Amino acid sequence: MTRNRLLLGLGLVSLGTFSISCSRESPPPAPTAAAPVAAAPAPAAAAEPAKPTMGYEKIVSFFRLPPSAKVVEPKDSPEQVTLGHKLFFEARLSKNHDISCNSCHDLATFGVDGKATSEGHKGQKGNRNAPTVFHAAGHVAQFWDGRAATLEEQAAGPMMNPLEMAMPGEKRVLATLNSIPQYVNEFKAAFPGDKKPVSVGNAARAIAAFERKLLTSSRFDKFLAGDEKALTEQERRGLDLFAASGCTTCHNGPSVGGTSFQKLGLIEDYPTEDKGRFEVTKNEDDLRKFRVPTLRNVEKTGPWFHDGSVKELPEAVRLMAKHQLGMTFSDAEVADIVAFLKSLTGELPGGGLVSAPELPPSTKATPKPDPT
């Protein structure tokens, strides 16, 4: 779809042609004055960009929870959040003491490391891009293929993943945590009702409690709250096009995404060998389906797509239009949508949440780094 094309009228100059008879009976034609050349009309004035046509209430409805949605308020305690903050930055939960959650999900850079695929134990790389952890609490599931249903399940996975933190098993994780008295005390405070508070499950619960605090607030939130002037005219125009073109079919809800699994290459096949959610469910209907990413802070979370192969945000917009919508946006339309997407960039949370906390010291009993 190419819309809003500006056609500039060009004046056509008509040159008269005259037929001259060569018959002997015909007298030679009388000389005539040259036909006047018509003046070219002045170029048309540049047309004003199209104004948004979708009503405010209609457009904000795409980003609200449906009335039927069940909102479960987390019962995370301050002690759990504090412990989770430390564990998120704790590299001793990795085999060689050199990788933490924050290594791949750097909170200072909006929860990503800026790499196509992140480096794990011994520099090994996975085959998928590390998504941002900001607003992950609002996702239908975790990981690109949705193999973890909750933040808690996701938090425990990387510790024992041989390509990531590579801990040989839960026994090594527990030995590390129990060797540090301050952690033992903090687990007891965070999970006072548990007979064995120090556990991999509780470590994951604490990290999840911390991650539920990783939210940003942007000008777009002010717009959703009723301030229609919070967005510029171009941003509002981009939002209108974003919604009218069908982007909100996938990128909806408070997180502007994360609410469903969708096939990559819905209209036109997308070149990838990654089978997506099929690798989890073995259901043919899930072939090349991925969890839709949030567009919150998308300006800051590149490179984009499941494989981190797209390095420019305008290119990501063009590819999504082509493969998911079967559309072609003009350069002006791409610029408008990108402007809207940049309005989703929020402020990082304060209170020291994104900064590395002071971690408790190791003891003689703490397992040593293992580079093997």
Side-chain angles (χ1 to χ4, degrees):
M1 178 184 73
T2 304
R3 305 183 298 112
N4 301 331
R5 300 280 199 267
L6 180 60
L7 301 178
L8 298 177
L10 299 177
L12 298 178
V13 179
S14 298
L15 299 177
T17 60
F18 298 90
S19 171
I20 301 178
S21 172
C22 294
S23 170
R24 291 181 180 178
E25 289 77 17
S26 301
T32 57
V37 178
E48 289 290 329
K51 300 293 184 182
T53 57
M54 194 172 293
Y56 173 79
E57 287 300 324
K58 174 65 176 177
I59 208 163
V60 299
S61 68
F62 294 116
F63 308 103
R64 291 173 176 161
L65 287 172
S68 58
K70 295 181 179 180
V71 180
V72 179
E73 291 294 332
K75 298 180 179 180
D76 303 322
S77 68
E79 291 80 8
Q80 290 171 348
V81 173
T82 297
L83 174 60
H85 186 190
K86 292 178 180 179
L87 297 179
F88 190 90
F89 282 84
E90 183 54 84
R92 286 169 293 186
L93 291 178
S94 68
K95 186 177 182 181
N96 197 37
H97 295 191
D98 56 355
I99 298 172
S100 70
C101 300
N102 194 70
S103 298
C104 302
H105 304 283
D106 192 339
L107 300 185
T109 54
F110 290 87
V112 299
D113 60 5
K115 301 176 182 177
T117 56
S118 302
E119 297 178 356
H121 182 63
K122 296 171 61 176
Q124 299 174 95
K125 290 188 177 182
N127 60 351
R128 290 180 182 154
N129 177 259
T132 178
V133 289
F134 282 94
H135 297 274
H139 293 170
V140 64
Q142 305 301 315
F143 296 112
W144 283 99
D145 55 17
R147 64 184 181 273
T150 64
L151 284 176
E152 285 80 358
E153 288 184 39
Q154 187 279 327
M159 294 182 202
M160 270 72 75
N161 187 315
L163 292 178
E164 298 182 55
M165 300 172 82
M167 282 295 229
E170 290 192 10
K171 185 177 180 180
R172 173 69 176 270
V173 175
L174 295 179
T176 299
L177 293 172
N178 280 311
S179 73
I180 302 173
Q182 185 176 329
Y183 272 143
V184 173
N185 292 333
E186 291 195 32
F187 270 91
K188 290 178 179 178
F191 304 99
D194 288 16
K195 292 182 179 180
K196 293 184 177 181
V198 180
S199 67
V200 172
N202 281 347
R205 285 180 60 193
I207 293 172
F210 169 66
E211 288 183 339
R212 278 188 275 271
K213 297 292 185 181
L214 299 178
L215 304 171
T216 61
S217 182
S218 66
R219 286 187 294 110
F220 183 61
D221 291 294
K222 295 180 180 179
F223 177 82
L224 294 180
D227 182 3
E228 295 190 50
K229 294 182 179 180
L231 299 185
T232 67
E233 183 176 331
Q234 184 185 28
E235 291 165 350
R236 180 66 171 85
R237 200 165 60 236
L239 170 57
D240 194 68
L241 178 59
F242 182 88
S245 300
C247 302
T248 51
T249 301
C250 302
H251 293 286
N252 52 47
S255 296
V256 198
T259 61
S260 65
F261 295 94
Q262 298 291 338
K263 180 181 178 181
L264 180 61
L266 182 63
I267 303 299
E268 182 176 326
D269 284 345
Y270 186 88
T272 180
E273 297 300 320
D274 195 323
K275 295 181 180 180
R277 186 157 174 73
F278 172 82
E279 295 179 357
V280 177
T281 67
K282 306 306 178 184
N283 185 336
E284 290 290 336
D285 290 340
D286 288 332
L287 189 62
R288 293 190 175 85
K289 280 188 177 180
F290 297 89
R291 190 208 64 217
V292 177
T294 175
L295 294 185
R296 292 278 185 170
N297 307 304
V298 66
E299 173 194 9
K300 304 291 187 180
T301 56
W304 298 274
F305 292 17
H306 67 287
D307 54 3
S309 61
V310 180
K311 297 181 180 180
E312 300 293 336
L313 190 53
E315 179 65 9
V317 171
R318 290 188 178 92
L319 288 172
M320 283 290 95
K322 176 183 179 181
H323 293 281
Q324 302 305 109
L325 303 173
M327 296 179 176
T328 301
F329 290 136
S330 69
D331 289 346
E333 288 169 332
V334 170
D336 286 350
I337 291 179
V338 169
F340 158 63
L341 294 177
K342 289 182 177 181
S343 78
L344 298 173
T345 301
E347 296 181 3
L348 294 173
L353 279 178
V354 301
S355 302
E358 183 177 353
L359 302 180
S362 296
T363 66
K364 292 181 179 181
T366 303
K368 298 296 187 288
D370 182 357
T372 64

